[in-house]
Every structure is written in C-alpha cells, then in structure tokens.
Amino acid sequence: QVQLVESGGGLVQAGGSLRLSCAASGRTFDIYAMGWFRQAPGKEREFVAAISWSGGITRYADSVKGRFTISRDNTKTTMFLRMSSLKPEDTAVYYCAADRRPRTWGRIAYPDYYDDWGQGTQVTVSS
C-alpha cells in the first residue's frame, strides 16, 4: 500500500497560482502512475491530470490544459500540480492517487484505475 498526503491548497483570487504537492510513502517502488482528481460540492470526482512514474508521460483534462502542469521529483516520492490562471470553477477538493499495477494508460482518467488515495486538499478560487 502507498500512503498519500496532499498539501498546498488554499484561497486564491482568480488569475492567481497555487502549487499542490502529494507526498508518497510506503511501497512507492510499486507505483506505475499517479494522478490528480478534484471534486466540487454536489459534483462527481473528475480527472485533472496524470503522470507515468517511469517515463514522465503526462495527460491533462481539457479544462486545465495549458494552465496546470503535473510533475514529479527525481526521488519519485512526490508529485506536484502547478496551477496557474485559476478560475472560480477550479474550486474543489483536490485528491492525489497512485496506481500500483500495470494497466492500460488509456484508462488513466478513471478513478477505478487507482489503488490508493489521499485525503484531499481544498482549493478555493475567489472571483
């Protein structure tokens, strides 16, 4: 199992920036990919971005493409989400998730692709 802890959320004005972090511990050597999801009140959890742990291949939701950047550190224990040009509609609880099994990359945007989840960090963008 992998334990995940998100940090970096907060309140920011529209047009501002934030950087989220996700620290992984435990069986981190089992990680194949990691992703960010978000969930706004009354809405389903939605995919934001994902990164393959070995080659650094990335994928983004259309709604954040060009504004958000996903990355990982060289120790492969921390993932980041740099968010720029934030909009009020980006307000949500942001969750990181880890995949510990080799699966089809095409399903990376589906929550059931992942094995472990963090507790989430709140991001609020004011207009």
Side-chain angles (χ1 to χ4, degrees), residues 7-20 83 86-88 90-92 94 121-127:
S7 61
L11 173 64
V12 63
Q13 288 188 332
S17 300
L18 279 175
R19 190 180 79 157
L20 304 183
M83 306 185 294
L86 283 161
K87 306 174 182 179
D90 293 319
T91 295
Y94 283 71
T121 185
Q122 176 71 47
V123 172
T124 303
V125 183
S126 63
S127 57

Side-chain angles (χ1 to χ4, degrees), residues 11-74:
L11 173 64
V12 63
Q13 288 188 332
S17 300
L18 279 175
R19 190 180 79 157
L20 304 183
S21 300
C22 175
S25 60
R27 298 182 64 89
T28 58
F29 46 85
D30 284 344
I31 296 175
Y32 280 87
M34 290 188 69
W36 288 99
F37 286 74
R38 66 187 182 187
Q39 188 166 19
K43 295 188 176 181
E44 292 189 354
R45 190 168 297 191
E46 67 170 351
F47 171 75
V48 175
I51 186 167
S52 68
W53 222 229
S54 59
I57 300 169
T58 59
R59 181 172 172 181
Y60 296 91
D62 288 343
S63 59
V64 306
K65 206 171 290 184
R67 300 189 298 122
F68 291 11
T69 303
I70 190 171
S71 63
R72 54 160 171 74
D73 70 346
N74 290 334

Side-chain angles (χ1 to χ4, degrees), residues 102-124:
R103 281 177 272 210
T104 304
W105 178 257
R107 289 193 55 80
I108 197 80
Y110 292 85
D112 62 4
Y113 187 95
Y114 300 87
D115 301 294
D116 305 292
W117 291 83
Q119 294 301 307
T121 185
Q122 176 71 47
V123 172
T124 303

